[in-house]
């Protein structure tokens, strides 16, 4: 009698399966399956329209469940169909592992152990991106992806492009996705984080063969273009809806305001210079004439400059509706120095028109930028003095 793999019982009890999407990986698929089957027999392979001898390789493993279709649709579709098949067959979790031999089945126990402690989290296998044979373009792409993941969710992650993951399907019900290729793995992480599903990281090994032996279906221009478009959409949604929603929820939660003051505004280890610069920069961004994009630009630049984002956003709210007429008027007044004929009068004219405003746009834009710089410097100086006095008194 053949002995069951060591983790079969746990997979049965917790309803976990391993999902392997594959497209033209016949050369490595057999080895991946043999390694995975040493740990569990709960394995599903999605044959994403392979045109090589993948079907004959799969025929050697009758114990493996197969989802097959043609033509090739992309990794996103393969994963989504695999998720659906797993749910239809009673699984609550899937561990995705690539078919190219990059991942090690010996890391599966790390996921089995972690899911006990974090049953509603997506677990992502964090690879060592500095090891031998790691393609330079992969390192850059991962850092690029990590940055935008942080902008979109506020969460920091070491390896947002890893395909070695555990998905809690029971926590992802009724979620909808639009991506069909590699970018799906970014979309699912971001949307899950927005839904409140935790993203956790599990250290894993990774194998990258020499360049001449490597098989990759990633098309740099097309796939990178799709990822860029996706990030543009996600960032827009994040700053127009998700971040404001989360901030309001946090602010009105029990102890939220005190926590905001303690952890974000009054960070003890943060210097007065950083706090003051954050306030000055926020005031500058609140006045500078890029209406509709002020908050988005302010947050991205604040992250790059390592400023206090909470202080930046609060200070940027100088442009709230009651202040807008005053800011516009002061911008026209400041812009007088750049024009020969003053156009400030158009604000009070009974015949005020869009044409008149456009005609004098130069005075407004130059004045607004100048006003933003002056107000930003003054806010920085005042904040620095007040912080120096206030924090010194608290210490003493």
């Amino acid at each position: 009698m053949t002995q069951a793999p060591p983790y079969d019982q746990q997979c049965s009890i917790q309803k976990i399966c391993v999902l392997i999407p594959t497209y033209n990986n016949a050369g490595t698929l057999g080895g991946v399956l043999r390694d995975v089957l040493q740990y569990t027999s709960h394995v599903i392979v999605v044959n994403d329209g392979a045109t090589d001898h993948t079907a004959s390789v799969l025929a050697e493993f009758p114990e493996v469940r197969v989802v097959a279709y043609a033509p090739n649709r992309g990794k996103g579709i393969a994963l989504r169909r695999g998720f659906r098949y797993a749910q239809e067959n009673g699984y609550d979790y899937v561990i995705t592992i690539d078919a190219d031999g990059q991942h090690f089945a010996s890391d599966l126990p790390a996921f089995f152990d972690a899911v006990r402690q974090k049953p509603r989290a997506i677990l992502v296998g964090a690879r060592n991106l500095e090891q031998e044979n790691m393609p330079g373009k992969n390192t850059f792409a991962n850092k690029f992806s990590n940055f935008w993941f942080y902008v979109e969710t506020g969460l920091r992650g070491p390896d947002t492009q890893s395909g070695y993951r555990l998905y809690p399907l029971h926590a992802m019900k009724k979620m909808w996705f639009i991506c069909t290729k590699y970018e799906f793995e970014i979309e699912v992480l971001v949307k899950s984080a927005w839904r409140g599903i935790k993203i956790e990281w599990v250290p894993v090994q990774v194998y990258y063969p020499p360049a001449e032996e490597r098989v990759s279906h990633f098309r740099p221009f097309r796939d990178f273009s799709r990822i860029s478009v996706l990030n543009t959409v996600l960032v827009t949604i994040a700053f127009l809806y998700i971040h404001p929603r989360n901030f309001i929820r946090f602010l009105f939660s029990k102890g939220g305001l005190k926590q905001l003051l303690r952890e974000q505004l009054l960070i003890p280890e943060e210097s007065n210079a950083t706090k003051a610069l954050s306030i000055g920069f926020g005031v500058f961004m609140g006045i500078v004439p890029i209406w509709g994009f002020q908050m988005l630009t302010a947050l991205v630049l604040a992250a790059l400059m390592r400023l206090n984002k909470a202080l930046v956003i609060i200070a940027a709210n100088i442009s709230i509706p009651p202040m807008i007429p005053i800011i516009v008027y002061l911008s026209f007044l400041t812009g007088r120095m750049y024009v020969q004929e003053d156009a400030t009068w158009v604000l009070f004219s009974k015949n005020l028109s869009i044409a008149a405003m456009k005609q004098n746009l130069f005075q407004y834009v130059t004045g607004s930028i100048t006003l933003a710089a002056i107000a930003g410097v003054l806010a920085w100086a005042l904040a620095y003095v007040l912080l120096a006095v206030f924090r010194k008194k608290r210490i003493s």
Side-chain angles (χ1 to χ4, degrees):
M1 182 177 179
T2 304
Q3 186 176 2
Y7 290 90
D8 253 17
Q9 185 176 5
Q10 181 179 345
C11 287
S12 297
I13 294 172
Q14 292 190 270
K15 301 178 181 179
I16 304 172
C17 70
V18 176
L19 176 64
I20 306 175
T22 184
Y23 171 64
N24 288 356
N25 294 117
T28 54
L29 178 60
V32 171
L33 284 172
R34 277 186 286 272
D35 289 344
V36 170
L37 289 169
Q38 291 181 37
Y39 294 88
T40 178
S41 62
H42 294 265
V43 181
I44 299 171
V45 174
V46 180
N47 182 356
D48 183 25
T51 56
D52 59 2
H53 60 284
T54 291
S56 61
V57 172
L58 291 173
E60 300 174 13
F61 301 90
E63 66 270 49
V64 171
R65 303 185 187 189
V66 178
V67 178
Y69 53 84
N72 171 254
R73 297 291 305 279
K75 188 176 185 181
I77 292 293
L79 289 172
R80 287 159 61 181
R81 292 192 179 184
F83 291 174
R84 185 172 62 204
Y85 181 84
Q87 286 180 305
E88 290 172 350
N89 285 271
Y91 291 106
D92 286 339
Y93 301 91
V94 297
I95 300 175
T96 59
I97 183 170
D98 291 343
D100 58 4
Q102 175 191 139
H103 303 143
F104 288 81
S106 57
D107 285 317
L108 284 172
F111 288 94
F112 294 142
D113 292 340
V115 74
R116 289 182 176 138
Q117 306 298 323
K118 302 161 185 175
R120 292 186 61 84
I122 291 179
L123 306 176
V124 183
R127 302 164 294 178
N128 176 9
L129 301 178
E130 305 300 327
Q131 70 175 59
E132 185 180 3
N133 292 329
M134 180 69 179
K137 63 181 181 181
N138 289 44
T139 302
F140 167 78
N142 200 58
K143 290 180 178 178
F144 179 86
S145 178
N146 293 346
F147 169 76
W148 286 113
F149 178 71
Y150 173 67
V151 171
E152 292 152 6
T153 66
L155 303 176
R156 296 192 181 277
D159 190 5
T160 53
Q161 288 199 321
S162 172
Y164 206 169
R165 302 177 178 182
L166 180 143
Y167 291 98
L169 299 181
H170 60 95
M172 298 167 59
K173 290 180 178 178
K174 297 183 180 179
M175 291 183 66
W176 59 274
F177 304 99
I178 59 174
C179 295
T180 62
K181 307 291 184 180
Y182 285 97
E183 68 275 12
F184 169 79
E185 291 180 307
I186 298 172
E187 181 190 20
V188 69
L189 277 191
V190 173
K191 288 186 174 179
S192 295
W194 287 352
R195 190 170 180 174
I197 298 172
K198 289 188 176 182
I199 312 295
E200 303 286 351
W201 312 90
V202 177
V204 297
Q205 307 169 78
V206 63
Y207 169 69
Y208 271 101
E212 63 273 11
E213 300 176 15
R214 198 173 299 138
V215 177
S216 174
H217 303 297
F218 185 83
R219 295 166 296 182
F221 179 76
R222 290 185 182 181
D223 291 321
F224 191 77
S225 297
R226 276 197 299 269
I227 290 171
S228 298
V229 170
L230 173 65
N231 279 319
T232 301
V233 173
L234 293 177
V235 166
T236 302
I237 295 173
F239 283 100
L240 291 182
Y241 174 65
I242 300 297
H243 291 329
R245 179 203 68 180
N246 292 347
F247 180 75
I248 292 171
R249 285 180 178 176
F250 172 73
L251 195 61
F252 287 95
S253 64
K254 185 177 180 180
L257 183 57
K258 288 184 178 179
Q259 186 178 343
L260 176 67
L261 290 172
R262 183 175 64 254
E263 296 184 2
Q264 296 297 322
L265 304 186
L266 303 177
I267 304 173
E269 63 271 17
E270 191 172 67
S271 68
N272 289 344
T274 298
K275 290 182 183 295
L277 183 58
S278 300
I279 293 170
F281 179 70
V283 170
F284 172 82
M285 291 305 306
I287 297 175
V288 75
I290 51 173
W291 305 103
F293 296 93
Q294 288 167 311
M295 294 298 181
L296 171 61
T297 306
L299 270 176
V300 172
L301 292 177
L304 290 173
M305 297 164 65
R306 299 184 183 279
L307 299 178
N308 186 313
K309 293 182 288 299
L311 286 175
V312 170
I313 293 304
I314 290 173
N317 277 285
I318 191 174
S319 60
I320 57 177
M323 290 292 295
I324 290 176
I326 298 174
I327 292 173
V328 173
Y329 176 64
L330 291 176
S331 296
F332 269 97
L333 284 180
T334 308
R336 282 179 174 178
M337 67 180 76
Y338 301 106
V339 295
Q340 293 182 345
E341 184 177 348
D342 178 22
T344 308
W345 61 269
V346 301
L347 294 173
F348 307 100
S349 172
K350 293 181 180 180
N351 299 317
L352 180 63
S353 64
I354 298 297
M357 293 291 288
K358 287 182 178 179
Q359 183 179 353
N360 298 284
L361 184 63
F362 177 77
Q363 180 178 343
Y364 165 69
V365 171
T366 54
S368 180
I369 295 173
T370 305
L371 177 66
I374 294 172
V377 170
L378 290 175
W380 163 77
L382 180 61
Y384 187 83
V385 171
L386 292 176
L387 284 167
V389 173
F390 174 71
R391 299 183 90 187
K392 186 176 181 181
K393 284 184 178 180
R394 287 194 63 184
I395 293 172
S396 61

